[in-house]
Amino acid sequence: MPSSKQTICSLVLIFLSSAGSTQKDYCAKSEGQCCRTFATEEFNQTSRSIFMIRPQGRLGNHITAFAHLYQLREELGVDVYMERETKDLMGSVFSDATLQVMPVYEEEFCNFDAIPLTEIDLNIPLLLQEKTYRQGQTLSLRNKPNQGTKIYEDYVARLTASMKSVLHFRTEILEKVWSKMEKIAIKFWTKHPRIKPETPITWIGIHNRRTDLNNYAWKKHGLVPLEEEYFVEAMDYYRERFGEAVIFLYVSDDMKWGRQNLMNPKRDLFFVGNGKTEDMDEIAFDMTILAQCNHSITTRGTFGIWTAILAGGLVHHEVSVCVCEQDYCVKSERQCCRTFVVEEFNQASRSIVVIEPYGRLGNHLTAFAHLYQLREELGVDVYIVNQTRKLMSQVFSETTLQTLPVLEEEFCNIDDIPFRDFDLDIRYILTDESYRKGHILLLLDERVRHLKLNQRTKEYREFIQKFTNSMRSVLQFRPEILEAVDTKMTKIATKFRQKHPTIDQAALITWIGIHNRRTDFNNFAWQKHGLTPFEEEYFVEAMDYYRERFGEAVIFLYVSDDMKWGRLNLMNPKRDLFFVGKGKTEDEDEIAFDMTLLAQCNHSIYTRGTFGIWTAAMAGGLIHHERGVSENVVDI
Ligand SMILES: *[C@@H]1O[C@H](CO)[C@@H](O)[C@H](O)[C@H]1NC(C)=O
Ligand SMILES: *[C@@H]1O[C@H](CO)[C@@H](O)[C@H](O)[C@H]1NC(C)=O
Ligand SMILES: *[C@@H]1O[C@H](CO)[C@@H](O)[C@H](O)[C@H]1NC(C)=O
Ligand SMILES: *[C@@H]1O[C@H](CO)[C@@H](O)[C@H](O)[C@H]1NC(C)=O
């Protein structure tokens, strides 16, 4: 007895036949009800394989299944089908066009129950490499952890990229989300009248997966639920990184927990989630709003992984902070880093070079510059350590920081990486080509602590010259510090002109940055090199040099880690010397200000240490140093 379904189907079939398309017994899929019969006898060893997945659990897992099927079809040329539940769940979030990229198993085959499916593990490396899976098989793929292989990680990167272009949200939900965000933004500005209204808002989506997954995570992995500290720390991370105009949108399957446990002292946290895990419309809203954010804070579960991927930007995760662009998100539910596989590293692999500097910002900058240039010139893989990123983030823009990856963020298992301490002069790496492949080198800071220690060879001098030039374009200061510096310089210029009414008020001012490195470095220089501290004569002579060279409209900006010494010892008869440094070597904001200010000057007076080398290098112009005046840091 024909059901109504079959009736519609045959009607359409007739229409299709008359249109001359009798190749296949597809009906108009748009009817949503037509199916074809899978004929076992026609399916043979040369037929394209059929893959399908029946995911367990909620929306996040269904999207993961969809993504795997999509990507496997792309790469293996097999036929893939999503389960009807996948379509139903995804249909409340994603557009019809998105769903149409993949047929539904139960809709495609009238006799889907009769298809002899073989259940096998979703073993990605095996499926990608073993050609026998591509033809003649009807497979139901069972979830399996695949982490830890390069082949899987590369595959996930491709899958992530595919999904970013395939998955489109439903327009009506997007509209609701935008209107919600607009309202929140208005509220935020009312609460923060002091933040400049034209500042672009950085949106951070927080997904806190709790309820049933807490039990699962505990039983399966011994994980305890994340406490409020995790969120406080994650939010502070983003506030520090992106400044004041940051809004956090909180979504959870247990909204009550967040409202009860998360304080909101900065009034930048908004509880937007509906938390009703049974209502697909609300889940759709929650997923869409998180995906509209610029960066993410995730906890556990695939829902948060997908919202983070679709949001793009950074992902603050239990173990570190990662960038979804670089596919560190889906690598595993718990880790956004990749695993270093010793067996896969061989003589043909690009060498890995890491520098772990001692000391303060200046040394870290030196390490950064060396690594940058080593990568440019030798094509090796380089990583900065997280301390370098941390110190540099106080001074330099986000874009600058993204130029080099961080060792601890990139690899989950840094302890397994067989680093070899490299305690030879860096020139060996520069000149000996055998270092470019198959080496994993940890450069000891000793080699780069003082540029001048290494200046013996022609190659190394050239190398310094090159990285100094590179750094002038790579290193960009944080805009808010630049602004503060600009304001300060304008004020000083006004003061200077008031004190010197005889100088042509329109004369272009020449700014000279003085960096006087003292405190601990004086001991170091004395013990290690028998150098005595600089006396006031050095500065008097250097300032006279610049006054003579550039005329009256010269302003000196003095920065030191011991500001008191300068104020006590340096006379200021010409009233052109300004003590602008904060001298608080522990306060990173003040160090950032000092560095940015000196780098804005036209010329420099240098004493010792890498901080002054870098401010002089970034300022460009002339450098007055112990042994004369030079144009390049390499000659200091
Ligand atoms: C396999 O089936 C296809 C049609 O599905 C047919 O064209 C082909 O000849 C068959 N091959 C073998 C070896 O039976
Ligand atoms: C944040 O993302 C929105 C799109 O959702 C974009 O328009 C905006 O420019 C981004 N803001 C920042 C600060 O990156
Ligand atoms: C750097 O990473 C190490 C190891 O993962 C960690 O113990 C340390 O706290 C991190 N330091 C910073 C400044 O993030
Ligand atoms: C000094 O540097 C500033 C940029 O910081 C520049 O605008 C100005 O023209 C320079 N002055 C001279 C005299 O070179």
Side-chain angles (χ1 to χ4, degrees), residues 39 41-48:
E41 54 296 350
E42 283 175 18
F43 192 83
N44 60 36
Q45 286 314 309
T46 64
S47 310
R48 276 208 302 266

Side-chain angles (χ1 to χ4, degrees), residues 177-191:
V177 160
W178 288 334
S179 123
K180 177 84 178 182
M181 287 171 83
E182 209 176 301
K183 277 191 201 136
I184 289 176
I186 292 170
K187 229 186 243 177
F188 178 84
W189 290 120
T190 333
K191 288 183 186 174

Side-chain angles (χ1 to χ4, degrees), residues 572-583:
N572 188 8
K574 303 259 157 74
R575 303 164 91 193
D576 52 5
L577 172 59
F578 293 80
F579 295 92
V580 290
K582 314 268 182 166

